């Protein structure tokens, strides 16, 4: 009697696991009829330009180092520090980054002597506040979220606008309005 109950329980668990796996697989498959973006979302592009302009008004030169990335470019970055040389710079494979949907940008600062730096303490405008902090503040005011606020993998040069959409939703074909 006890063996039969255990067997029934195992069968039920196996069925539930299989159904869950099928639901997961179906939910992560992109819709065929929804094309992937091939550039930066218009709102993100507009806010990027505003960020650069507002920072310049404060004497800060922002350099946009990355924006839209194809899945192939994302996969090459993912392999960096894993199967190719260099430091690990991302935990996202192709399709797992907001860059792949035109919803993210990365930035750096340009120093007075024209060098591009990722120095979070640099104060090129000499106002006593690191330029990096000022740029982050401007970006957040414009509606960007900042990778430096993430709990696990801090991505300090990263800003994104997700429009309330998760990566999973973007993978399934949902897109923010133009």
């Amino acid at each position: 009697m006890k063996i039969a109950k255990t067997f029934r329980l195992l069968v039920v668990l196996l069925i539930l696991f299989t159904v869950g796996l099928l639901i997961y697989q179906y939910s992560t498959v992109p819709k065929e009829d929804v094309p992937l973006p091939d550039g930066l979302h218009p709102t993100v592009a507009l806010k990027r330009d505003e960020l650069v302009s507002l920072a310049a008004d404060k004497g800060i030169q922002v350099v946009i180092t990355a924006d839209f990335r194809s899945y192939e470019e994302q996969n090459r970055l993912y392999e960096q520090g894993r199967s190719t040389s260099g430091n690990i710079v991302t935990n996202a494979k192709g399709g797992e980054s907001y860059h792949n949907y035109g919803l993210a940008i990365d930035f750096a600062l340009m120093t007075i002597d024209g060098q591009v730096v990722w120095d979070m303490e640099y104060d090129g405008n000499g106002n006593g506040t690191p330029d990096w902090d000022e740029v982050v503040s401007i970006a957040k005011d414009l509606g960007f979220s900042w990778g430096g606020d993430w709990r696990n993998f801090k991505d300090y040069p990263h800003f994104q606008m997700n429009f309330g959409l998760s990566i999973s939703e973007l993978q399934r074909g949902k897109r923010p309005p133009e």
Side-chain angles (χ1 to χ4, degrees):
M1 189 65 131
K2 191 172 187 175
I3 293 174
K5 285 183 180 182
T6 303
F7 180 74
R8 281 194 298 263
L9 178 63
L10 286 174
V11 169
V12 169
L13 289 174
L14 182 60
I15 290 170
L16 289 173
F17 175 77
T18 303
V19 169
L21 184 61
L22 289 171
I23 290 170
Y24 173 75
Q25 286 177 330
Y26 175 77
S27 69
T28 59
V29 174
K31 292 181 182 177
E32 297 286 330
D33 60 342
V34 178
L36 287 170
D38 60 2
L40 207 55
H41 186 279
T43 301
V44 178
L46 178 68
K47 297 298 182 178
R48 172 206 57 203
D49 295 345
E50 285 183 51
L51 171 67
V52 171
S53 177
L54 291 169
D57 290 347
K58 292 184 171 216
I60 303 168
Q61 273 198 284
V62 172
V63 177
I64 302 301
T65 59
D67 53 26
F68 172 80
R69 269 190 220 123
S70 68
Y71 280 31
E72 293 78 22
E73 290 170 305
Q74 188 69 39
N75 284 330
R76 279 194 295 276
L77 270 181
Y78 178 80
E79 290 306 320
Q80 185 176 315
R82 292 176 176 89
S83 65
T84 63
S85 63
N87 295 324
I88 291 176
V89 294
T90 184
N91 286 330
K93 295 179 183 178
E96 298 175 352
S97 169
Y98 284 97
H99 285 283
N100 304 143
Y101 303 95
L103 304 177
I105 60 174
D106 293 338
F107 80 102
L109 302 172
M110 184 173 291
T111 63
I112 294 167
D113 60 356
Q115 293 190 27
V116 176
V117 297
W118 289 263
D119 181 350
M120 294 176 65
E121 300 303 318
Y122 176 74
D123 182 19
N125 63 4
N127 68 356
T129 301
D131 292 352
W132 198 275
D133 293 346
E134 293 183 77
V135 171
V136 168
S137 178
I138 294 167
K140 287 181 175 184
D141 286 346
L142 291 170
F144 284 101
S145 58
W146 179 45
D149 289 332
W150 295 348
R151 289 183 190 186
N152 296 327
F153 183 82
K154 301 281 188 183
D155 192 353
Y156 295 105
H158 180 91
F159 296 125
Q160 68 187 36
M161 291 184 164
N162 63 21
F163 297 90
L165 297 172
S166 68
I167 288 293
S168 178
E169 290 172 314
L170 292 165
Q171 291 170 333
R172 289 193 312 268
K174 289 189 177 184
R175 300 291 180 264
E178 289 290 321

